[in-house]
Amino acid sequence: MSLTAQSAAKAGGTAPSVKTLKNLVRGDRPYVLYAAFAVLIVAFSFASPVFFSSSNFLNIGRQTALVTIIAVGMTFVIIAGEIDLSVASTLALSGMSAALAIQQSGGNWALGAAAGLATGALVGLVNGLLTTLLAIPSFLVTLGMLGIARGIALMLTGTTPVVVNSLTFWDSFGEGAILGVPAPIVITIVVIALGAYVLHFSTFGRRVFATGGNATAARYSGINTRRTKTLAFVITGALAGLAGLILTARAHAARPDIAAGLELDVIAAVILGGTSLFGGRGAILGTVLGSLMIGVLNNGLTLMGVSSQAQLVVKGAIIIAAVAFSRRK
Amino acid sequence: MSLTAQSAAKAGGTAPSVKTLKNLVRGDRPYVLYAAFAVLIVAFSFASPVFFSSSNFLNIGRQTALVTIIAVGMTFVIIAGEIDLSVASTLALSGMSAALAIQQSGGNWALGAAAGLATGALVGLVNGLLTTLLAIPSFLVTLGMLGIARGIALMLTGTTPVVVNSLTFWDSFGEGAILGVPAPIVITIVVIALGAYVLHFSTFGRRVFATGGNATAARYSGINTRRTKTLAFVITGALAGLAGLILTARAHAARPDIAAGLELDVIAAVILGGTSLFGGRGAILGTVLGSLMIGVLNNGLTLMGVSSQAQLVVKGAIIIAAVAFSRRK
Amino acid sequence: GCSSGTASSTESAPTIDPASVEPKGLVGLGPNGEKPALPSDVSLTAEQAAKVRAGNFKVGISMQTMDIDFAKVQTTVLKKTFEENGVQVIGITDAQWKAEKQIGDLENLIQQKPDGILGVPVDDVATAAAFSKVGKSGMKLVMIDQVPKGLKYPTDYQSSVQADGKGNGQVAAEMLASRIPDGGTMGLVNFGNDIFATNERTKGAKEWLAKNRPDIKVKETAFSDPAKAGQVGGDFVTANPDIKGLWVVWDAPALEVISALRGQGANIPVATIDLGQQLTAESAQGADIVGVGAQRLTDQAKAEANAMMLSLIGEKAPSYIAAPALAVTKSNLTDSFKIVFDSPAPADIVNACKNTSGCK
Amino acid sequence: MSGDQPSQAPTPPAPAERLVEVSGLRKTYGTVQALRGVEFELAPGEVHALLGENGAGKSTLIKVLAGVESSDAGTLKIFGEEKSFRSPAESRAAGLAVVYQELSQVPSLTVAANIFLGREPRTAFGAVKQSEIMSRTKAFLAEYGFPLDPRAVVGDLPFAYRQMTEIAKALMSNVRVLVLDEPTSALSEGEEEVLFDAVRKVTARGVGVIYVTHRLGEVFKLSQRVTVFRDGLRVGTYPTSDMDMKSLVSAIIGPRTMAAEVADAVQGHGPKQDHVQRATGSVPALAMSGVGDQRLRGVDLEVQSGEIMGLAGVIGSGRTEILETVFGLRRPRQGQLQIHGQPFKPAGPVDAIRAGVGLVPEDRHGQGLVMDDSIERNIALPRLKPLTRLGFFSRKGAAERSHAAMKELSIKAQNRKTVVGTLSGGNQQKVVFGKWREPRCELLLLDEPTVGVDVGAREEIYGVIRQAAASGTAVLVVSSDLSELLLLCQRITIVRDGRTIRTIHRDEVDSEEALHHLVHTSSPVTPGVPS
Ligand SMILES: Nc1ncnc2c1ncn2[C@@H]1O[C@H](COP(=O)(O)OP(=O)(O)OP(=O)(O)O)[C@@H](O)[C@H]1O
Ligand SMILES: Nc1ncnc2c1ncn2[C@@H]1O[C@H](COP(=O)(O)OP(=O)(O)OP(=O)(O)O)[C@@H](O)[C@H]1O
Ligand SMILES: [Mg+2]
Ligand SMILES: [Mg+2]
């Protein structure tokens, strides 16, 4: 008895900070996934002369920004034991609401940003309240919301895109750069840092893990699991709204039919990063890795000139292989 | 104590068939969902003069056939605690393989049908083996397969559709009719009956429920949970193949890019029908109801002339409302 | 991070006279090789119009999608024209780009027993059997944009109305070619799936280049998911720094590509097909959109309505009506907008245009 | 035989100050009346044992106290103040801490995180003070002598350690009332003592403890007063000093003819009939020789058909692993297994079951039952094949099977369709047992077979075990309850550190103390604090 307990104690006893760090990075999946990622990078660097360059890495960062930002929120929702299928529609609706606010206010970009974020958070709130108060599976609630938010986005202007004419808005969320790093990437990094802090270091993060790990136990420990879940949905909604701002700023306009199907990429990034679909386990950095991995695959294969059909096959196979190896003992 | 046990035995003894029937129909969700369904039908009958007619009901049957057939298989997979995101791609690949087989063999429709079903079952087998042997989450395996199967389907002919010229094939799976009931509906009914039998009356069905309910307990009871899960995937794959045959027969051709996104409709039908995403609970007839409900909504709203954007909103809201009410005590 | 060496910017670019680019007449032939009629060739006489009004006809429309400007203009103009002539539109369905959904949509429309159906097929193969049911149910059928394989005129359908896809592809390529130096490289961003309408555009572009600018090296890529066109187009340029101009198969993916290029800091001119609202705005705001091969949506939709009404009263409509390509540059932006949308360009486009040199 | 139950005994005058006072409490689940108007009170500094048969309503009362369930009628006073908890948070805030019978932990979190769940100390920025949690947990575990690693992930721990974590969590909160619902069901004597010490420490501070158990020995070791429930009603409350084992048992199981018999048995007179038909030199039903893997380091034992053999040892000694190896859940690296003289290499439970082996696992939630399924479905599980006719699952056969099992094991449930998740703990255990009832197993492996089972039912289960043995089944029992081993087994094998140390005959030990001594003597390991 004491043998196992002691050896366990020894293993744990060494360095708490290292452990915490490891936990942060690891989620469910061991380091092999990181190795797989490294292998991919090396392979693409050989396969394509332009892959390994800072400008291409910025490209990848920009291309994955939307998915990464929303996936940070989705990590909260999935760890809490729920799912959000409505993020792509929320993104579109938030973008439209931001663009309309800017248009109506004659170019008030801050108002637009606030409107976009608020819209996203509101959709998340509705998702959360319906899921927790009515005890409906979030799969169905957010599937319904996927249609509702998209429908509203389309009806707002009768499917017409809304053009945004605000240089400040374009710059803040789209084309601006800080120290050469484009705004969307800066925003993504901030979101990752905040997300990791809240999930892994704050009490709210604890509650999220506990709620998804065992909702009954969490409730018995005095945790308001409904509020916890609802907040996770609100975070995700607001981040989808933020993604909507970025997309709108980059395109100089909001289109109501944008980003359809993005939810699958987002969920894939989260799961690939080691978060369990059944809740209770996961990590923000894993999610970031998952998103980057998909991004690197898309980018690398395109640079290599692989046809879009073959890309589907190769990407599918690499995802399965990477996870398979990382699951091996 | 023995009193309760005896009265229970008596209660069970009197009318086992009624009880069984209830169980079959109910799944997780009480009867309110049925009421909601009935209300919808009445509402649409008033709203549109052409809704309540046998020919329109045949339309609904034809339009929901694909989703219903695959959803029957998906019910097995989800009850067993897994998920299959690759069904739409499997459908497309199976359709292509059937069409190519018919084309290459100079019109041998039976060979085509066999090729289609075998392709579907094979994809399911690969999904099942990867999930169970490598212990990878089926979400990732089948997400990978979603890309792989679709990519292969597209590459088979370089994205060109394959025309099928076999009257027998068209009739058997598409346009033929038995006693005025179109072939796709006949096939759907057979699939439902077989599916309900296997899930609710066969030993294999028991294994599926136990595996999803508590895989460890099932294993400790001597159930080969891997084989059970794998078989569930094979069933789903084969049914996706069957759906591919129907779609190919109806369209007189196979398109490699067909049915993209269908997996969400299929999973929605299953969950709406009361099957739990976390496994262990569900019913075939619930799934059928879920599929029909979505089909009736699509059909009824279209007949009423509701715009496609508004349809998104109304459908989303009705799905949430129906489930919300049926969850109320 | 400007990786491409393109020196030319909007200001220094040679100005193109759009009129000179527009092909004289129609480039493509009909689905069965027939010579096309022009939209102006189909109109109703007063007598025919009266007959239509007396018929109390009902029609249904099956769209491939409702989410693009094309669909919006089409349905608006169709509804307006039908209304003016006393024809009732009983339903507009949205196939959401899914062939399997359109099959069901057509069944639903037929269920409502209209006198005629107009349809934009999602594809030309998988929806063929479903469209052939329209005629079999005794209804008139007008095909928009393409005719599914195997359908026969005039038994299965009574007319087909299209934009000159090949012509549009050619127009866009020709305008873009003016910016490609001798021996330079042009990139084509195609659609990865086999769709008649987009195939025609690519064909039109390649045929024109082969014939008129054989010096230009053509590189191609393709996307399967329009939402990912930005990533594909952006990476395509990264991998092929010699590309001096991008031709994108339609406006929505072109917008994605433009936004990706902007992010990458790559100043590469773009040409595309379809003059959507947002693309117009982008161009007005100064984005380097060399040219657009636009569909004359309003003319086309009127022709569709007229062809349907002629068929409804038993007159013969031409088997193939094609709307010629409209070449759009900044210099005729607002006018073109009016031609396409049948309404003046919105204020913000007009204003943006004022601040952009060469924009009218 | 049944007359001397002390239910008429007057309730002793309650102490002036009361921490908890419950009166007329009622609770129904659907048609089940779990509580039919019970009374209960708790004084400061006392350990008040709450006893009763399975399904008597003990856990239900506790759930009401904890704010998990709301009562239908009756009053609840805490420190003289009338309360009605609407959530566990409210109950906690009022100073109650509860160890639930069915553990309520987050398996993916560490021991320390679970202990501090819901009341993490935090910085001004809302960050959890990780190091403080660790150090406080460590200090606490050391003070109370809990052999737990604060960093271990709870889901990876053996059941007993999880139970210990749960206890530590309750003790560590600043409580005035501590409620323990069968906290020792998975602990063996050594660990039990750790808990008892802890309980004594907190009662010395004036904390009142409600202690639910089916191990009646503990009542006498720990409690000052006893309250007995039966069928949702209080039978009576007595000072422990007024009671003996016999009166306690009859208070619990009521006026039944067998009450005296059970009491006798509980007091420990060993197996009544030693009917081992052990023809000397016959082939043993199970033989293990030199079996080892990562955890097992040499297991040698033989069990004869018709024999009940016990495995004794402390937690983690590897008893469960021995059973798991026989059941095909572990692959031995070395050594051999034989069943009836035939070499036996099960690739999994499927093979084991085919060879006539059955296992009642220690964790009924995780391993024994599909909690959302009915009694009938659970009982049918290991016998799906025999219940199948031409691919058709025989519902009739399954119904008969579950009906018979419910009767034989006195499973208290409305009917065979009752979802096992809604059964009381002991009745759930009986369902696990019922899975292997029929057809008779050649070899029955029992891991803590009577965890949470009441005295009466325990005797019924013993009867079933003995009957199985009598009809030729070889039985291998793991139990942390040494008296249970002494009652049941003809021979007992001592396991330590993954090794079988020695095998003794029942006659060689005359008391529980003697066996305890044997299990622990020269044991190099004593429960200690991890470094
Ligand atoms: N959620 C529930 N739904 C339905 N019945 C329930 C539920 N919980 C408890 N019961 C029933 O209430 C009665 C009392 O159960 P309780 O758990 O209080 O018993 P207990 O005294 O704790 O038994 P044990 O000693 O076996 O743990 C039992 O008949 C049980 O089946
Ligand atoms: N450190 C560990 N990590 C993961 N699982 C363990 C660990 N130690 C034990 N287990 C598992 O926990 C279960 C119980 O193990 P344990 O060591 O408690 O067995 P035991 O000696 O039979 O003790 P007892 O039966 O008294 O609990 C077994 O399935 C074992 O494989
Ligand atoms: Mg209990
Ligand atoms: Mg054990």
Side-chain angles (χ1 to χ4, degrees):
Chain A
M1 180 243 30
S2 53
L3 209 152
T4 54
Q6 268 167 19
S7 64
K10 218 185 289 167
T14 44
S17 54
V18 173
K19 261 259 162 151
T20 314
L21 213 71
K22 274 188 191 169
N23 261 338
L24 249 183
V25 181
R26 207 185 41 172
D28 218 6
R29 192 88 67 264
Y31 309 92
V32 191
L33 201 61
Y34 295 77
F37 189 59
V39 168
L40 266 186
I41 299 222
V42 173
F44 281 134
S45 303
F46 278 100
S48 163
V50 286
F51 177 81
F52 201 90
S53 65
S54 64
S55 73
N56 190 49
F57 288 159
L58 289 184
N59 283 349
I60 295 174
R62 242 190 321 257
Q63 287 160 12
T64 53
L66 300 186
V67 168
T68 307
I69 288 174
I70 306 177
V72 166
M74 187 71 84
T75 309
F76 282 83
V77 170
I78 294 183
I79 292 178
E82 302 292 340
I83 196 149
D84 188 348
L85 300 175
S86 70
V87 286
S89 302
T90 308
L91 186 160
L93 181 58
S94 304
M96 287 296 284
S97 113
L100 284 171
I102 296 176
Q103 202 187 49
Q104 301 296 316
S105 68
N108 187 335
W109 70 273
L111 187 81
L117 292 177
T119 305
L122 185 72
V123 174
L125 183 68
V126 174
N127 282 335
L129 291 180
L130 286 174
T131 300
T132 56
L133 294 186
L134 301 184
I136 317 178
S138 53
F139 187 94
L140 285 177
V141 168
T142 58
L143 185 71
M145 187 55 81
L146 182 157
I148 296 174
R150 179 71 71 183
I152 295 177
L154 287 163
M155 287 195 294
L156 276 178
T157 59
T159 78
T160 309
V162 180
V163 175
V164 172
N165 249 323
S166 160
L167 198 64
T168 326
F169 185 76
W170 296 355
D171 272 356
S172 315
F173 295 99
E175 288 145 33
I178 299 178
L179 301 173
V181 182
I185 301 186
V186 174
I187 295 175
T188 309
I189 292 172
V190 171
V191 167
I192 294 169
L194 279 178
Y197 173 75
V198 173
L199 184 63
H200 297 290
F201 293 97
S202 83
T203 32
F204 174 67
R206 276 294 159 98
R207 292 199 199 110
V208 171
F209 276 101
T211 299
N214 184 348
T216 312
R219 226 159 43 80
Y220 285 10
S221 302
I223 290 170
N224 189 334
T225 54
R226 284 180 175 174
R227 193 191 299 156
T228 307
K229 287 185 175 183
T230 305
L231 254 169
F233 277 108
V234 171
I235 290 174
T236 306
L239 288 176
L242 180 60
L245 296 181
I246 294 177
L247 194 51
T248 304
R250 275 170 43 182
H252 295 188
R255 274 224 320 268
D257 62 338
I258 207 94
L262 195 77
E263 63 278 352
L264 217 58
D265 288 353
V266 171
I267 298 171
V270 175
I271 306 294
L272 190 58
T275 295
S276 159
L277 247 192
F278 293 96
R281 285 157 187 278
I284 293 289
L285 288 197
T287 294
V288 175
L289 184 85
S291 176
L292 282 179
M293 188 139 167
I294 297 175
V296 164
L297 273 174
N298 283 330
N299 172 273
L301 292 173
T302 310
L303 290 186
M304 284 173 64
V306 176
S307 81
S308 65
Q309 294 85 32
Q311 277 197 27
L312 288 172
V313 178
V314 175
K315 250 164 49 186
I318 290 184
I319 287 176
I320 294 178
V323 185
F325 281 111
S326 70
R327 276 295 163 108
R328 285 293 212 214
K329 273 150 248 155
Chain B
M1 180 245 94
S2 57
L3 212 154
T4 54
Q6 266 168 19
S7 65
K10 217 187 286 166
T14 43
S17 53
V18 173
K19 269 252 164 154
T20 315
L21 213 70
K22 274 189 192 169
N23 261 337
L24 249 181
V25 179
R26 210 183 37 173
D28 218 7
R29 193 83 71 258
Y31 306 92
V32 191
L33 202 60
Y34 295 77
F37 188 60
V39 168
L40 267 186
I41 299 221
V42 173
F44 282 135
S45 303
F46 277 100
S48 162
V50 287
F51 177 82
F52 200 91
S53 65
S54 64
S55 71
N56 190 47
F57 289 157
L58 290 184
N59 278 349
I60 296 175
R62 245 191 318 256
Q63 288 156 18
T64 53
L66 300 187
V67 168
T68 306
I69 288 173
I70 306 177
V72 166
M74 188 71 84
T75 308
F76 281 84
V77 170
I78 294 183
I79 291 179
E82 302 291 341
I83 197 149
D84 188 347
L85 300 175
S86 70
V87 286
S89 304
T90 309
L91 185 160
L93 181 59
S94 304
M96 288 296 283
S97 115
L100 285 172
I102 295 176
Q103 203 186 50
Q104 301 296 316
S105 68
N108 187 335
W109 71 273
L111 188 79
L117 291 177
T119 305
L122 185 71
V123 174
L125 183 67
V126 175
N127 282 335
L129 291 179
L130 286 173
T131 301
T132 57
L133 294 186
L134 302 184
I136 318 176
S138 51
F139 187 94
L140 286 176
V141 169
T142 58
L143 185 70
M145 187 55 81
L146 182 157
I148 296 175
R150 177 73 68 185
I152 295 178
L154 286 164
M155 287 195 295
L156 276 179
T157 58
T159 78
T160 311
V162 180
V163 175
V164 172
N165 253 320
S166 160
L167 197 64
T168 326
F169 185 76
W170 296 355
D171 273 356
S172 313
F173 294 99
E175 289 147 27
I178 298 177
L179 300 174
V181 182
I185 300 185
V186 174
I187 295 175
T188 309
I189 292 172
V190 172
V191 167
I192 294 170
L194 279 178
Y197 165 74
V198 173
L199 183 63
H200 298 289
F201 293 96
S202 83
T203 312
F204 173 68
R206 290 272 165 142
R207 296 206 185 98
V208 172
F209 275 102
T211 299
N214 183 345
T216 312
R219 217 158 52 83
Y220 275 61
S221 302
I223 289 168
N224 189 333
T225 53
R226 285 180 174 173
R227 192 190 299 158
T228 306
K229 286 184 176 182
T230 306
L231 254 169
F233 278 108
V234 171
I235 291 174
T236 306
L239 288 177
L242 181 59
L245 296 181
I246 292 176
L247 193 49
T248 306
R250 281 178 65 189
H252 297 189
R255 276 191 73 88
D257 58 348
I258 204 103
L262 196 74
E263 64 277 354
L264 218 58
D265 290 351
V266 171
I267 298 171
V270 175
I271 307 294
L272 191 58
T275 296
S276 158
L277 248 192
F278 293 94
R281 287 158 179 276
I284 293 289
L285 287 198
T287 295
V288 174
L289 185 83
S291 175
L292 282 180
M293 190 137 165
I294 298 173
V296 165
L297 273 174
N298 281 331
N299 171 275
L301 292 173
T302 308
L303 291 188
M304 281 173 64
V306 176
S307 84
S308 67
Q309 293 88 24
Q311 276 195 29
L312 286 173
V313 178
V314 175
K315 249 162 56 184
I318 290 184
I319 287 176
I320 294 177
V323 185
F325 280 112
S326 69
R327 276 293 164 107
R328 287 292 215 214
K329 272 150 247 156
Chain C
C2 172
S3 55
S4 76
T6 316
S8 52
S9 70
T10 322
E11 278 80 331
S12 62
T15 41
I16 313 155
D17 174 15
S20 72
V21 181
E22 265 168 35
K24 305 284 164 279
L26 297 150
V27 177
L29 293 180
N32 306 311
E34 59 267 69
K35 280 211 45 168
L38 288 168
S40 49
D41 298 342
V42 267
S43 55
L44 300 180
T45 63
E47 192 188 340
Q48 286 168 331
K51 242 172 140 183
V52 169
R53 190 166 293 278
N56 276 329
F57 294 115
K58 293 185 289 185
V59 296
I61 306 172
S62 169
M63 299 297 294
Q64 86 282 37
T65 176
M66 284 299 290
D67 297 344
I68 58 176
D69 290 320
F70 166 86
K72 198 180 166 197
V73 176
Q74 287 280 311
T75 51
T76 315
V77 176
L78 277 173
K79 264 201 286 198
K80 200 174 121 198
T81 316
F82 280 131
E83 234 160 64
E84 284 165 5
N85 290 282
V87 177
Q88 190 196 347
V89 178
I90 53 149
I92 302 173
T93 62
D94 174 2
Q96 294 160 0
W97 292 115
K98 294 173 187 161
E100 71 274 15
K101 172 131 193 330
Q102 188 160 41
I103 294 173
D105 285 347
L106 285 166
E107 285 169 355
N108 288 345
L109 282 176
I110 294 171
Q111 184 65 38
Q112 292 167 276
K113 303 199 169 48
D115 303 292
I117 288 178
L118 302 96
V120 188
V122 168
D123 88 320
D124 60 341
V125 177
T127 57
F131 272 108
S132 70
K133 277 194 203 161
V134 176
K136 292 201 183 90
S137 312
M139 296 159 194
K140 306 293 180 193
L141 177 63
V142 169
M143 295 308 313
I144 303 174
D145 262 15
Q146 60 179 325
V147 179
K149 292 224 167 79
L151 263 63
K152 295 276 172 294
Y153 171 85
T155 46
D156 293 321
Y157 67 97
Q158 282 65 50
S159 184
S160 85
V161 187
Q162 307 183 2
D164 184 8
K166 249 180 156 172
N168 274 319
Q170 160 182 335
V171 163
E174 187 173 346
M175 290 191 281
L176 186 59
S178 70
R179 293 276 293 276
I180 311 281
D182 233 26
T185 306
M186 183 189 289
L188 304 191
V189 182
N190 298 317
F191 188 41
N193 295 4
D194 192 15
I195 301 286
F196 172 79
T198 52
N199 289 348
E200 284 287 293
R201 294 172 181 185
T202 307
K203 253 190 239 162
K206 288 210 276 200
E207 279 173 14
W208 185 88
L209 287 169
K211 200 162 152 218
N212 300 292
R213 285 290 302 270
D215 61 298
I216 292 182
K217 209 172 137 205
V218 176
K219 288 188 175 171
E220 291 183 80
T221 187
F223 58 89
S224 307
D225 176 1
K228 302 214 163 80
Q231 178 256 322
V232 170
D235 290 342
F236 180 50
V237 170
T238 306
N240 302 282
D242 55 328
I243 288 178
K244 298 284 184 281
L246 274 183
W247 178 97
V248 188
V249 65
W250 79 90
D251 63 334
L255 285 162
E256 302 277 346
V257 171
I258 289 168
S259 150
L261 292 179
R262 189 155 52 212
Q264 290 175 216
N267 297 314
I268 295 175
V270 172
T272 187
I273 294 98
D274 292 350
L275 186 72
Q277 281 230 27
Q278 193 184 340
L279 192 85
T280 313
E282 274 283 5
S283 188
Q285 285 166 355
D288 196 359
I289 298 167
V290 183
V292 181
Q295 307 189 38
R296 297 171 191 265
L297 293 182
T298 301
D299 293 352
Q300 187 184 335
K302 279 183 184 154
E304 290 155 10
N306 288 341
M308 172 55 80
M309 290 188 284
L310 286 174
S311 321
L312 285 175
I313 54 170
E315 305 278 340
K316 200 166 173 187
S319 75
Y320 178 50
I321 306 164
L326 170 66
V328 184
T329 66
K330 286 197 171 53
S331 62
N332 65 348
L333 198 60
T334 48
D335 287 348
S336 301
F337 188 95
K338 175 107 186 38
I339 295 174
V340 172
F341 286 89
D342 196 26
S343 64
D348 47 359
I349 290 183
V350 175
N351 290 340
C353 201
K354 277 187 192 135
N355 301 328
T356 304
S357 81
C359 186
K360 259 173 50 200
Chain D
M1 273 206 271
S2 62
D4 57 353
Q5 57 145 329
S7 64
Q8 271 75 38
T11 304
E17 194 192 344
R18 283 170 188 157
L19 293 179
V20 177
E21 203 180 341
V22 168
S23 66
L25 206 63
R26 291 176 173 277
K27 174 73 191 175
T28 43
Y29 291 106
T31 56
V32 181
Q33 292 196 310
L35 294 177
R36 300 192 288 163
V38 294
E39 325 287 322
F40 184 82
E41 82 271 313
L42 179 72
E46 78 164 337
V47 177
H48 194 144
L50 179 56
L51 309 178
E53 288 185 298
N54 294 133
K58 306 179 294 294
S59 297
T60 305
L61 170 65
I62 286 168
K63 283 180 185 160
V64 172
L65 287 177
V68 171
E69 299 276 9
S70 56
S71 58
D72 301 335
T75 58
L76 162 63
K77 284 187 192 163
I78 308 287
F79 314 117
E81 215 180 299
E82 195 162 328
K83 296 262 181 185
S84 158
F85 299 134
R86 276 160 307 170
S87 75
E90 290 184 8
S91 167
R92 269 165 69 108
L96 275 76
V98 181
V99 171
Y100 297 91
Q101 181 175 11
E102 315 302 355
L103 299 184
S104 58
Q105 291 163 331
V106 183
S108 52
L109 294 181
T110 62
V111 168
N114 266 292
I115 285 177
F116 274 91
L117 192 60
R119 51 197 164 89
E120 296 88 354
R122 51 178 145 169
T123 65
F125 299 106
V128 176
K129 289 182 180 163
Q130 287 282 3
S131 51
E132 185 182 326
I133 287 182
M134 274 303 158
S135 58
R136 276 173 61 187
T137 306
K138 234 176 191 174
F140 173 84
L141 294 176
E143 184 193 340
Y144 284 85
F146 280 30
L148 281 174
D149 171 15
R151 268 179 254 289
V153 173
V154 164
D156 296 342
L157 289 177
F159 188 77
Y161 286 117
R162 278 188 263 154
Q163 196 163 48
M164 220 179 267
T165 307
E166 187 91 354
I167 295 166
K169 178 177 169 186
L171 284 174
M172 203 162 166
S173 54
N174 206 358
V175 295
R176 292 190 284 181
V177 176
L178 178 63
V179 186
L180 302 168
D181 196 353
E182 300 191 35
T184 54
S185 57
L187 304 188
S188 62
E189 323 259 312
E191 295 87 23
E192 215 177 70
E193 277 307 323
V194 176
L195 172 69
F196 292 168
D197 286 343
V199 168
R200 288 185 197 110
K201 262 186 199 153
V202 294
T203 48
R205 296 203 314 249
V207 171
V209 177
I210 301 174
Y211 194 96
V212 180
T213 186
H214 289 297
R215 294 184 177 181
L216 299 185
E218 295 177 349
V219 174
F220 297 102
K221 281 189 210 165
L222 203 60
S223 74
Q224 286 82 51
R225 285 199 294 166
V226 189
T227 289
V228 176
F229 278 9
R230 194 189 309 144
D231 283 338
L233 283 170
R234 178 169 73 165
V235 175
T237 297
Y238 326 96
T240 311
S241 50
D242 289 2
M243 304 294 281
D244 61 12
M245 188 63 89
K246 203 165 169 181
S247 53
L248 208 50
V249 169
S250 43
I252 292 169
I253 65 178
R256 275 203 238 153
T257 40
M258 59 181 302
E261 224 174 285
V262 171
D264 280 350
V266 171
Q267 266 166 343
H269 295 297
K272 293 239 164 65
Q273 322 94 322
D274 198 338
H275 42 52
V276 196
Q277 313 120 338
R278 198 177 342 137
T280 39
S282 75
V283 185
L286 168 72
M288 299 175 82
S289 61
V291 173
D293 59 14
Q294 304 101 303
R295 299 248 336 207
L296 297 179
R297 294 191 276 168
V299 175
D300 299 280
L301 57 82
E302 285 187 359
V303 192
Q304 303 292 333
S305 291
E307 182 190 25
I308 306 175
M309 151 87 88
L311 288 178
V314 295
I315 301 181
S317 53
R319 298 164 301 170
T320 296
E321 281 82 348
I322 295 175
L323 302 191
E324 285 175 347
T325 307
V326 178
F327 202 54
L329 289 160
R330 301 174 71 93
R331 286 299 157 79
R333 288 203 186 137
Q334 67 240 17
Q336 273 154 17
L337 268 93
Q338 289 187 331
I339 287 211
H340 292 308
Q342 301 298 314
F344 181 54
K345 281 189 180 164
V350 184
D351 290 351
I353 291 169
R354 198 173 292 138
V357 184
L359 169 72
V360 172
E362 60 182 339
D363 177 2
R364 61 172 170 258
H365 271 201
Q367 302 164 332
L369 296 170
V370 182
M371 298 305 287
D372 287 341
D373 269 355
S374 64
I375 296 174
E376 174 186 322
R377 277 178 168 264
N378 271 288
I379 285 184
L381 268 195
R383 300 292 185 242
L384 290 180
K385 272 246 175 74
L387 286 170
T388 304
R389 307 261 178 289
L390 306 166
F392 247 109
F393 183 77
S394 161
R395 285 164 177 263
K396 198 159 152 262
E400 282 164 5
R401 197 178 141 74
S402 56
H403 186 221
M406 288 176 71
K407 201 166 173 188
E408 184 175 301
L409 297 164
S410 310
I411 295 172
K412 188 183 168 191
Q414 231 166 343
N415 60 48
R416 65 194 156 83
K417 301 275 182 168
T418 305
V419 172
V420 295
T422 66
L423 295 183
S424 79
N427 282 305
Q428 290 175 358
Q429 184 66 19
K430 291 185 196 172
V431 175
V432 184
F433 223 88
K435 287 167 67 174
W436 302 106
R437 213 184 50 89
E438 257 268 283
R440 189 179 68 82
C441 293
E442 288 296 316
L443 170 62
L444 197 52
L445 310 171
L446 309 175
D447 202 349
E448 310 286 5
T450 58
V451 165
V453 174
D454 69 45
V455 266
R458 194 179 303 181
E459 205 50 38
E460 286 161 8
I461 286 182
Y462 293 161
V464 173
I465 296 173
R466 290 198 188 101
Q467 210 173 351
S471 54
T473 300
V475 183
L476 188 56
V477 195
V478 167
S479 179
S480 297
D481 186 349
L482 296 183
S483 63
E484 178 164 297
L485 292 179
L486 291 173
L487 267 171
L488 274 177
C489 307
Q490 286 91 36
R491 290 190 303 157
I492 296 169
T493 296
I494 314 278
V495 185
R496 190 182 305 142
D497 278 347
R499 248 187 280 268
T500 46
I501 301 287
R502 63 181 285 200
T503 301
I504 48 169
H505 272 270
R506 171 67 181 82
D507 320 330
E508 293 173 47
V509 278
D510 45 10
S511 69
E512 220 179 299
E513 288 72 38
L515 183 54
H516 182 84
H517 189 67
L518 277 174
V519 169
H520 285 271
T521 39
S522 71
S523 165
V525 286
T526 42
V529 193
S531 51

